[in-house]
Amino acid sequence: MKKSIHPMGENLNQEGKAMIQQGFLPFKLKISEEEITPRSGLAIYAEVLRALRIRGRVERYFPRPGSNRGYKASRYIEALLLMLYGGGRHIEDLREIRDDGALRRLIGLEEMPSCSTFGDWLVRLGRGGGIEGMAGVNEEVVGEVLAKDEREAYSLDVDATVIEADKREARWTYKKVKGYQPILGFLKDNSLCLAYEFRQGNEPSGSKAVEFLERCEQALPEGKKITHLRSDSAFYQAEVLNWCEEKEKKYTITAAKDKGVWEAVKTVRDWKRLLTPEGEETGREVGSAVHIMNKTLLPFTLIVQRWPNPQMDLFRPEEWCYQVIATNMDELEPEEVVWFHNQRGQVENLIKELKLGFGMEQMVSGDFLANALYFSIGVLAYNTTQAQKLLFMEEEWRQTTIATLRWRLVEVAGKIIRHGRKVILRIVASPDKVRIFLLIRQRCFAFR
């Protein structure tokens, strides 16, 4: 007997009883009792966290729970790292980790705090040493990655970013929105976040500049050093330039076009065409001038670019537009300084990866210190992902974004099979993807 259609649109089975149609396509949804996870790639990321000893590092820097029934800080932080790596953006997204019993049993996270307690934990630990603890964990992770790097000299890119937030304690930023304005220092050579500081939105990005640079330098392991600094005009300060000279560091810093700089620009006479490194025209000219600030110990060079003003009118009669770079890299030609400095634009992509890729474009609490702690966990998620690409994957993955990692490696269905004491994760994937999973696991195991 063939199925017939009920007048109300329901399917009829062979006994003539109505069956509710779930959707347009010919399948039915049912709950599986098997141990299946839709995110097998998170188990591979958990291997990376084990190789980097995240649990041990956290427990060394964070206080123990107040009672025997309390959860260690590592349980909170590991769950948050898995959520951020997997694409979660809100505390409520931790439910996806909590509900995935197969994954949690697979990675040894069977005990996990309830989602409602994470916000309270962030507030409590934000006020109780958690921010300093996370800074220590991040510094150790970066140090261990750099210890495996053959390079000894690095270039530091420093920049601040605005995180818009309609929170009670948020302050107005220079962009005329309420929020926060953290400052970050990235190593150009491997994209690791060397140091960071979560700040209120109304704190100038150039405040405590030398103190921040000192923190970046102290975060490097023994035998490593920062040789070059690149920054925007926030760090165009006499104290920063003097620090670079005293520490024997080369720098390129966008110069603030104050009265002194404008007077120096007028003295430029060596204008020449600015060509790209490939020898192509840019429509700009470049020249140089010597300048000194009231409190700088030594004079420095201004590399000046100019191009015709495309909007010259009665109210803007200037013939040229200008961009000025302060530098002590006198061994380079002016155009070489320009192209070296312009590469700092990459730091904007790294900040975009941190904010959009790891959900740091929005904060989870109305408490400033809780948000500072959450941001530092986001930086750790970013750095451990960089460590995964640098230490445990093939070179072709170095520039891969977290969005691509999720699409290609995280969202892989897997079934857990138990044979006696053996546990097998059977994934639905191509042989090449299985090879990548095995490579990461093997390198993690060898690393430790």
Side-chain angles (χ1 to χ4, degrees):
M1 177 181 178
K2 296 183 179 180
K3 289 193 296 185
S4 58
I5 303 298
H6 189 274
M8 297 300 293
E10 298 172 327
N11 288 331
L12 299 180
N13 61 14
Q14 292 183 352
E15 288 76 27
K17 296 181 180 179
M19 297 189 304
I20 298 176
Q21 182 75 24
Q22 290 186 341
F24 289 106
L25 298 178
F27 65 88
K28 293 190 70 175
L29 291 178
K30 290 186 177 181
I31 297 176
S32 173
E33 301 297 331
E34 297 181 286
E35 286 192 294
I36 298 174
T37 175
R39 300 180 181 90
S40 297
L42 286 184
I44 305 302
Y45 176 61
E47 294 256 21
V48 173
L49 299 182
R50 296 293 191 280
L52 295 172
R53 296 181 295 175
I54 297 302
R55 279 188 183 179
R57 297 184 197 278
V58 168
E59 289 170 10
R60 189 166 65 253
Y61 279 99
F62 279 73
R64 291 181 175 275
S67 67
N68 292 331
R69 292 185 297 175
Y71 290 99
K72 294 180 179 179
S74 59
R75 295 293 184 179
Y76 288 94
I77 291 172
E78 186 173 2
L80 286 167
L81 290 175
L82 289 165
M83 180 199 78
L84 294 172
Y85 184 92
R89 315 187 78 78
H90 307 279
I91 293 294
E92 291 77 11
D93 293 335
L94 284 162
R95 299 183 191 280
E96 296 299 314
I97 304 295
R98 188 175 178 82
D99 292 345
D100 193 342
L103 173 67
R104 290 195 292 109
R105 284 188 286 276
L106 194 65
I107 64 177
L109 191 65
E110 295 193 34
E111 293 184 355
M112 178 178 165
S114 65
C115 298
S116 60
T117 65
F118 276 83
D120 295 335
W121 179 85
L122 287 169
V123 172
R124 186 171 68 255
L125 269 294
R127 300 173 182 177
I131 298 170
E132 295 78 8
M134 282 305 305
V137 174
N138 265 301
E139 185 175 319
E140 285 194 9
V141 169
V142 171
E144 186 153 19
V145 177
L146 294 180
K148 304 292 184 181
D149 190 0
E150 296 180 352
R151 282 175 293 231
E152 295 181 355
Y154 298 90
S155 296
L156 177 68
D157 289 326
V158 177
D159 204 357
T161 186
V162 170
I163 299 175
E164 188 173 349
D166 188 19
K167 305 292 186 182
R168 181 181 67 254
E169 295 187 2
R171 300 289 181 264
W172 290 99
T173 70
Y174 73 96
K175 290 188 174 182
K176 299 182 180 180
V177 296
K178 291 183 69 176
Y180 310 102
Q181 191 173 191
I183 185 170
L184 303 110
F186 291 91
L187 295 179
K188 173 186 80 72
D189 313 87
N190 52 29
S191 302
L192 287 168
C193 182
L194 185 61
Y196 58 92
E197 183 178 326
F198 193 78
R199 296 176 173 181
Q200 280 288 11
N202 61 352
E203 183 170 352
S205 55
S207 68
K208 299 180 287 187
V210 171
E211 180 181 324
F212 183 76
L213 292 174
E214 291 282 3
R215 187 182 308 161
C216 290
E217 190 158 62
Q218 291 167 7
L220 289 171
E222 187 175 356
K224 309 289 184 177
K225 60 183 179 179
I226 296 169
T227 57
H228 292 75
L229 168 67
R230 299 188 296 197
S231 175
D232 62 11
S233 58
F235 274 40
Y236 181 66
Q237 306 172 24
E239 293 82 1
V240 172
L241 273 56
N242 290 340
W243 182 84
C244 289
E245 295 293 352
E246 291 170 356
K247 300 287 186 177
E248 299 182 346
K249 301 187 189 305
K250 299 295 185 178
Y251 62 83
T252 62
I253 299 175
T254 305
K257 288 177 277 191
D258 54 26
K259 183 178 179 181
V261 169
W262 277 121
E263 291 300 322
V265 168
K266 294 177 183 178
T267 69
V268 177
R269 295 292 181 268
D270 60 342
W271 297 108
K272 61 180 180 179
R273 291 181 305 161
L274 177 63
L275 303 178
T276 68
E278 295 74 30
E280 299 176 355
E281 292 284 351
T282 64
R284 297 188 176 197
E285 295 180 337
V286 63
S288 61
V290 177
H291 187 51
I292 190 168
M293 300 167 70
N294 288 336
K295 295 182 179 180
T296 50
L297 301 175
L298 296 172
F300 52 91
T301 301
L302 294 179
I303 303 298
V304 185
Q305 297 177 67
R306 73 175 185 180
W307 60 95
N309 185 354
Q311 296 181 337
M312 187 171 60
D313 54 33
L314 179 64
F315 301 99
R316 291 192 63 189
E318 298 88 356
E319 181 181 1
W320 302 94
C321 296
Y322 294 92
Q323 185 179 40
V324 187
I325 302 168
T327 185
N328 62 351
M329 298 174 66
D330 298 327
E331 71 279 7
L332 299 182
E333 293 295 323
E335 57 268 28
E336 292 178 303
V337 174
V338 169
W339 300 127
F340 175 78
H341 186 68
N342 285 355
Q343 288 175 9
R344 70 172 296 275
Q346 175 64 16
V347 75
E348 297 180 4
N349 292 329
L350 302 182
I351 291 175
K352 180 180 178 181
E353 175 80 342
L354 174 64
K355 291 173 65 177
L356 300 182
F358 290 90
M360 292 297 111
E361 86 282 10
Q362 54 190 358
M363 292 293 103
V364 297
S365 175
D367 184 271
F368 173 78
L369 295 178
N371 288 329
L373 177 56
Y374 182 71
F375 183 81
S376 65
I377 295 172
V379 172
L380 182 60
Y382 170 88
N383 275 337
T384 51
T385 303
Q386 288 301 117
Q388 174 181 333
K389 293 184 288 185
L390 292 168
L391 298 177
F392 309 125
M393 300 185 74
E394 295 163 323
E395 191 170 350
E396 64 190 69
W397 291 85
R398 296 283 170 86
Q399 303 303 318
T400 305
T401 65
I402 184 61
T404 300
L405 281 177
R406 290 185 191 122
W407 179 247
R408 296 176 63 180
L409 297 184
V410 174
E411 297 169 2
V412 177
K415 179 179 179 181
I416 300 175
I417 301 172
R418 302 178 187 274
H419 286 298
R421 295 182 179 180
K422 292 183 179 180
V423 178
I424 300 171
L425 174 62
R426 182 170 291 171
I427 62 175
V428 182
S430 66
D432 185 59
K433 190 169 295 185
V434 174
R435 181 190 64 81
I436 295 170
F437 275 32
L438 288 173
L439 176 67
I440 296 173
R441 298 197 71 197
Q442 291 163 358
R443 289 186 175 181
C444 285
F445 186 74
F447 187 78
R448 280 271 65 86

